[in-house]
Amino acid sequence: MTTVGERLVEGLAARGVEVVFGIPGVHTIELYRGLESGVIRHVTPRHEQGAGFMADGYARVTGKPGVAFVISGPGLTNTLTAMGQAREDSIPILVISGVNRRAALGKGLGLLHELPDQAAMIRPLCHTETLTDPAELGPALDRAFAAMLGARPGPAHIEIPTDVMPLACPPLAPPAGLPAAPQASAAELDRAVALLDKAKRPVILAGGGARFAEASLRRLAEVLDAPVILTTNGRGLLHSHPLCVPASPSLDAPRDLLAAADQILALGTELGMTDYDMYVNGRLPDLSGMIRVDLCAEQLARHNAVLPIRAEAGAFAAALAARLSARQGDGAARAEAARKAARAELASLHPSMPGMLAMVEAARAAMPAARIVGDSTQPVYAANLFYDAPFPRAWFNAATGFGALGFGPGAAIGAAVADPQVPVICLIGDGGLGFSPAELRCALDEGLDVTFLVWNNAAFREIAEAMTGSQIKVIGCSPSPLDMGHFAAACGLPFQRITVDPAELAKALSAPRNGPRLIEVQAP
């Protein structure tokens, strides 16, 4: 007899899943029967929230869904924060949880891990379903993958009752094909060409929806001679290119570039406030005359555009570039002026920002092949405003969108599992590390090349400064940090302590390493 748990693993493998992040429990052990074959690797985090963040980091690097196995009740609620982050950043993760036996669902019998209605808790967030019939396993997986990789990528959830997991399950049919990505019509492309042909000062906005489309974006930008402003999730596209503006549209300099444009093309960006108006000052120029391209019809309806087009950003950029005639103009000069002005603007926002950006850039110089996966910490905030990542998907963090603290370690581990040949730097504050410190042992268990770079200012400094700025007494912002040296020793990690000095950081990062390590930056 082949059980539901075993067929589940077969079905995941058939859909390209190679890794599952999970913590087994009495309500999921039957799912683990299928992992005995070794066809899917299992990585054990220390907390279910970490499992979700690991699945997220894995998905951001590969573009394939990250998968987490969690128990019913607290296992699933612990994962909800990671699901929220994935939803806000359009990242496909599949959470498979247990749930109590079918006859007990909704009865309030006081069973272990019981919730009134798990699926109802998840339903406002993403696609969810309860598998009550083994014959429905294959179709349930098809629906979940379609939801994750359809119009707007994001999380999905399947819960399996404990009395269904060990049941006999018939062989699964081959996976159903995924829905085809929407494509721009010839008429839409023609109209976009007509609008752009008339433009003398076009500007491109590129977000996370373009993060796998560097070649077509580069070609389009060069044909249009258009500066490309990158949101946080688009960083690394067009690294060092004369047309690249790796600066947040919350800054005045990119906004001035947009205000002077006579046509704006927005590719794969949700135009969210944490990218476009994080200081809530309302000075973003009117974008209603833009051409906007997005996979999601609901997203397209949220902002006015002269030409909204439902399409995948990379395919659209390639098709559009093929129809346009190359031009030469002042695009590079406009981009350079915006870059210089944006960088200079940091000091006016906070006197420490240039120094924090210098530290991030020192990390890039010392380890140019590394990804930097960030948490919500001050150097990340600074670099989200201005930072040119060295390659696509080499910079991502949780400091925009949902803004979950503790994201960094799990996501860094997921990224390292996804692409073990590329080292990872996890840039996290002492406050954020307090949310997920135990995940560092997972990096050791898996032998991953992750450098945990801890910015230790012994405070929730960003919040304390916000309180001070609002003339509120600072309360609750000074939890004592871990003793990083002893903590590193407890985790079995090599340790080094440095000051806020780019040269010191470069030297520390350039030291030989064998597996994970911890470097503490003692921030003033």
Side-chain angles (χ1 to χ4, degrees):
M1 181 185 79
T2 304
T3 67
V4 167
E6 291 171 303
R7 294 291 189 207
L8 171 66
V9 173
E10 290 178 9
L12 292 172
R15 289 162 176 80
V17 175
E18 298 174 333
V19 183
V20 163
F21 304 93
I23 300 177
V26 294
H27 280 186
T28 56
I29 56 173
E30 281 295 334
L31 300 185
Y32 281 73
R33 191 183 300 277
L35 293 174
E36 293 178 5
S37 66
V39 70
I40 290 180
R41 174 183 176 184
H42 184 271
V43 174
T44 307
R46 298 302 191 270
H47 190 281
E48 289 93 355
Q49 181 173 278
F53 288 148
M54 289 177 193
D56 180 303
Y58 179 93
R60 289 184 197 242
V61 169
T62 63
K64 302 190 301 183
V67 180
F69 280 6
V70 301
I71 63 166
S72 52
L76 184 58
T77 56
N78 284 342
T79 315
L80 272 173
T81 296
M83 296 172 75
Q85 187 71 49
R87 181 185 185 277
E88 289 301 297
D89 286 346
S90 300
I91 304 300
I93 68 171
L94 175 59
V95 176
I96 298 175
S97 76
V99 71
N100 290 112
R101 64 182 184 269
R102 289 168 291 180
L105 295 180
K107 300 292 180 61
L109 301 177
L111 301 182
L112 180 65
H113 303 328
E114 185 177 31
L115 286 168
D117 189 338
Q118 280 194 171
M121 180 178 66
I122 301 297
R123 196 166 291 118
L125 177 66
C126 67
H127 170 88
T128 181
E129 59 184 285
T130 306
L131 182 72
T132 57
D133 180 354
E136 281 295 304
L137 175 60
L141 287 171
D142 286 337
R143 289 188 289 269
F145 273 75
M148 287 187 292
L149 300 171
R152 179 191 178 188
H157 168 244
I158 297 173
E159 61 180 14
I160 307 178
T162 54
D163 62 332
V164 172
M165 295 179 191
L167 295 179
C169 185
L172 305 185
L178 293 171
Q183 296 184 10
S185 68
E188 288 171 327
L189 286 165
D190 287 343
R191 189 172 176 205
V193 168
L195 290 169
L196 290 164
D197 273 344
K198 293 189 297 185
K200 302 299 183 186
R201 299 178 306 281
V203 173
I204 296 173
L205 290 166
R211 66 187 182 275
F212 287 94
E214 184 179 38
S216 57
L217 176 62
R218 179 186 297 267
R219 174 62 180 156
L220 177 60
E222 291 172 348
V223 168
L224 279 174
D225 189 41
V228 180
I229 299 172
L230 299 172
T231 69
T232 296
N233 286 326
R235 298 292 171 82
L237 295 166
L238 310 188
H239 172 62
S240 291
H241 194 284
L243 293 170
C244 179
V245 183
S248 168
S250 290
L251 295 174
D252 286 340
R255 288 174 167 188
D256 290 343
L257 185 62
L258 290 169
D262 53 4
Q263 187 58 66
I264 296 167
L265 172 60
L267 296 173
T269 173
E270 295 180 357
L271 305 173
M273 180 173 285
T274 53
D275 272 311
Y276 286 83
D277 196 16
M278 67 176 297
Y279 296 109
V280 199
N281 57 29
R283 294 203 298 263
L284 182 69
D286 180 12
L287 303 180
S288 61
M290 67 183 162
I291 304 165
R292 187 176 181 209
V293 180
D294 199 277
L295 279 171
C296 180
E298 291 180 356
Q299 278 295 333
L300 288 172
R302 288 180 183 137
H303 298 275
N304 292 329
V306 69
L307 180 56
I309 299 174
R310 186 165 174 248
E312 191 275 321
F316 176 84
L320 183 61
R323 290 173 175 242
L324 289 165
S325 297
R327 68 177 80 182
Q328 289 185 339
D330 63 350
R334 288 186 292 134
E336 182 180 14
R339 286 194 300 271
K340 288 182 177 179
R343 189 182 187 104
E345 198 176 327
L346 295 184
S348 68
L349 295 171
H350 195 290
S352 68
M353 275 196 179
M356 291 188 286
L357 176 61
M359 292 290 281
V360 177
E361 291 179 333
R364 180 188 64 196
M367 296 179 64
R371 287 188 171 89
I372 300 181
V373 178
D375 208 84
S376 291
T377 189
Q378 286 187 306
V380 169
Y381 299 142
N384 277 351
L385 290 172
F386 186 94
Y387 175 64
D388 191 6
F391 54 90
R393 305 178 301 287
W395 174 265
F396 59 84
N397 55 75
T400 61
F402 203 52
L405 273 169
F407 170 86
I413 289 167
V417 169
D419 192 358
Q421 304 307 311
V422 174
V424 177
I425 297 171
C426 173
L427 178 53
I428 188 169
D430 59 292
L433 181 64
F435 278 61
S436 52
E439 302 304 352
L440 276 62
R441 283 292 297 187
C442 179
L444 186 71
D445 290 349
E446 299 297 324
L448 302 174
D449 188 357
V450 180
T451 297
F452 295 95
L453 184 60
V454 182
W455 186 266
N456 188 359
N457 54 27
F460 295 134
R461 182 66 57 79
E462 192 80 9
I463 306 305
E465 291 179 354
M467 284 181 162
T468 299
S470 298
Q471 298 182 328
I472 297 171
K473 182 180 179 180
V474 177
I475 298 173
C477 292
S478 301
S480 59
L482 295 166
D483 181 316
M484 296 299 168
H486 286 95
F487 173 64
C491 291
L493 302 184
F495 173 73
Q496 187 170 354
R497 179 179 290 119
I498 64 172
T499 63
V500 182
D501 182 331
E504 268 194 83
L505 177 59
K507 183 178 179 180
L509 290 174
S510 299
R513 62 190 186 277
N514 181 23
R517 59 182 173 174
L518 192 152
I519 299 173
E520 176 189 10
V521 180
Q522 288 191 311

